[in-house]
Amino acid sequence: MSIFAKNEPLTESDLDHLGRFLMNCKGGKAMNIEELDGFFAALIVGPEIILPSEYMPEVFGSETPETYQFESLEEANEILGLMMRHWNDIAGTLSKGKVYFPLLQLDENGEENGNDWARGFIRGTRMRQDGWVELLADEDHGGCMIPMMMLYHQHDEDPSMRPEPIGPEQRKKVISSMAASLVEAHLYFRQDGQPQVSTLRPEPQHANVKIGRNDPCPCGSGKKFKRCCGGATIH
């Protein structure tokens, strides 16, 4: 039986709840749901497993514990559990050879742009940049990165980095291509088809109501918070 067989994809209510938590993180630099989806996708299909102690500060936008302080043990379990389920949904879909469609939010005009998703994805690739550079340099498979790069650079401050104007119909094709590109990147890095398993635990066993730097990390690793999810440096 697949290790992802019993995984439950997040409901709309779950996504709204997780989105509100991220939006309310102090500092205002936490990822939104769309960016988180792209970020997780890159980590999952990428060249090696990356632990929460390294990537969680990227999610919350700061290495400062107070920025993503949980109000209670129950909230820590709940939020980390939602993230684990979403990670496993992406990984489980790709491990079965199916296409995972990016989770995109609607803008003020009710349209899906995909730019935040592409930004999250590129942020994920930068955590293991050397491996992704190898993919980009591969003549047979490097083209799978083009859709993400197009939307990532669409509004780049450097005009020379921007692609040609992207019309509504072309955008739909680019977004569809991103989904296909995930499959190709997954196959490129995981020739044996083994998915990355979420290293977050749904029910952390040790955490205090107010999480300080010397308290046990709510991800359940058993390490002090400053040595785990609160201890990575953001570049």
Side-chain angles (χ1 to χ4, degrees), residues 142-159:
C144 72
M145 292 293 292
I146 292 177
M148 292 78 153
M149 299 297 289
M150 287 178 66
L151 294 185
Y152 176 77
H153 288 294
Q154 184 182 7
H155 306 295
D156 201 293
E157 294 181 358
D158 182 355

Side-chain angles (χ1 to χ4, degrees), residues 20 38 72 93 126 148 164-165 196:
R20 284 193 298 271
S72 65
T93 300
R126 287 175 176 170
M148 292 78 153
E164 294 294 323
Q196 289 195 27

Side-chain angles (χ1 to χ4, degrees), residues 19-33:
R20 284 193 298 271
F21 178 85
L22 293 171
M23 182 175 62
N24 291 328
C25 286
K26 296 178 182 179
K29 295 182 179 180
M31 296 179 179
N32 60 33
I33 286 293

